[in-house]
Amino acid sequence: LRAVLDALDLQDVAVAGFSMGGAVTVRYMSRHGGARISQLALLGAAVPCFTRRPDFPCGLEKSAVDDLIRQCYADRPAMVAGFGKIFFNQPVSDQIRAWFNDLGFEASGHATAMTAVEHRDADPRPDLAAIHVPTLILHAVHDQVCRYELAEAMHAGIKGSHLVPFDCGGQRILLRGKGPLQRRATALPGPSARAVYSRERRSRISAARARVVSSASGSSASWLASSSAPKHSTSSITRTSRSRPAPTP
């Protein structure tokens, strides 16, 4: 993430981290001092601790993650199917379930197991204190992967954060909660979200892309070169009290 932001010379970026991406984003804020980031959104994030500790009674039991890791090697199709049941936490169409399973199989089985190991053992709680930008926390109250109690712990640990609960099924907040998510984004105070690149900045971004492509190989670099200019929001997020709001339908 830092390499991409530096290569494209982006400033005042709004970053959204979903599930595991939330943990990655929070670690970035701590490791790099929030460099180039002006706003943060955490959606169903696996933060501050994915598993329970003696001094942290939230999250999943470590034994549940151990079972997931074993299934990655013993019966991956059963693992993906079982994970999908708690991911959605409510009935979905066969087509959506098949699509979800296909996404799971695109990843390396070993890589899936190793990310589970990292989630099981990592303790990003100290990283929360390093976040000093307006932070929006969006979390489903029925999430069975990253339970809602994690959202409340994030809210308590990130100064000035704003927590918005969603009354929708599990980690499918990005699907079921699409409309409410859009309304939250467009309702943020300040200028409308838009790209604010000047002609000079666009030129610098094009040059940076060329350097990235010339120094890297593979489809990822090619995709980066051909994609449109990334956008970031210039709006600000109002800091509110830490009282728990009513769920968003």
Side-chain angles (χ1 to χ4, degrees):
L1 179 58
R2 178 63 189 267
V4 172
L5 295 177
D6 286 348
L8 299 181
D9 190 26
L10 300 181
Q11 302 288 346
D12 299 325
V13 176
V15 173
F18 170 67
S19 194
M20 183 191 305
V24 172
T25 302
V26 168
R27 179 55 54 88
Y28 171 89
M29 298 297 290
S30 174
R31 178 177 294 176
H32 300 289
R36 300 178 180 269
I37 306 299
S38 63
Q39 295 181 48
L40 187 62
L42 299 172
L43 297 81
V47 182
C49 277
F50 190 60
T51 55
R52 298 180 182 181
R53 312 295 165 93
D55 60 341
F56 188 77
C58 306
L60 300 178
E61 295 287 353
K62 286 192 174 184
S63 59
V65 183
D66 289 338
D67 288 342
L68 186 69
I69 294 168
R70 283 191 291 268
Q71 290 177 30
C72 280
Y73 297 109
D75 191 344
R76 192 175 174 214
M79 182 276 293
V80 172
F83 185 75
K85 291 180 180 179
I86 64 171
F87 184 92
F88 293 107
N89 193 40
Q90 66 183 47
V92 295
S93 69
D94 292 340
Q95 290 78 11
I96 288 182
R97 195 169 298 283
W99 166 73
F100 177 82
N101 291 349
D102 286 343
L103 290 178
F105 292 132
E106 287 181 4
S108 158
H110 178 67
T112 301
M114 291 299 100
T115 56
V117 169
E118 176 66 17
H119 272 342
R120 181 195 64 193
D121 299 339
D123 187 354
R125 283 179 290 176
D127 296 336
L128 298 182
I131 299 176
H132 300 294
V133 299
T135 301
L136 184 63
I137 301 169
L138 306 174
H139 215 101
V141 295
H142 303 299
D143 195 325
Q144 295 300 305
V145 179
C146 300
R147 295 177 176 173
Y148 186 76
E149 55 195 11
L150 297 185
E152 294 177 323
M154 277 185 271
H155 185 38
I158 301 176
K159 185 177 181 181
S161 60
H162 180 40
L163 172 59
V164 180
F166 281 78
D167 190 14
C168 61
Q171 288 257 296
R172 66 175 296 189
I173 183 173
L174 293 181
L175 298 177
R176 185 68 176 237
K178 182 179 179 181
L181 284 174
Q182 291 175 335
R183 287 195 295 271
R184 281 288 169 179
T186 56
L188 292 175
S192 301
R194 62 184 183 274
V196 292
Y197 302 110
S198 64
R199 186 182 302 275
E200 180 181 356
R201 173 165 287 190
R202 288 183 183 276
S203 177
R204 291 202 305 269
I205 290 175
S206 297
R209 282 188 176 138
R211 291 196 298 271
V212 171
V213 174
S214 65
S215 62
S217 60
S219 59
S220 295
S222 299
W223 176 86
L224 180 63
S226 62
S227 64
S228 60
K231 299 179 181 180
H232 61 278
S233 171
T234 59
S235 62
S236 59
I237 298 173
T238 301
R239 299 186 177 186
T240 65
S241 65
R242 293 182 180 176
S243 59
R244 177 172 173 176
T248 299

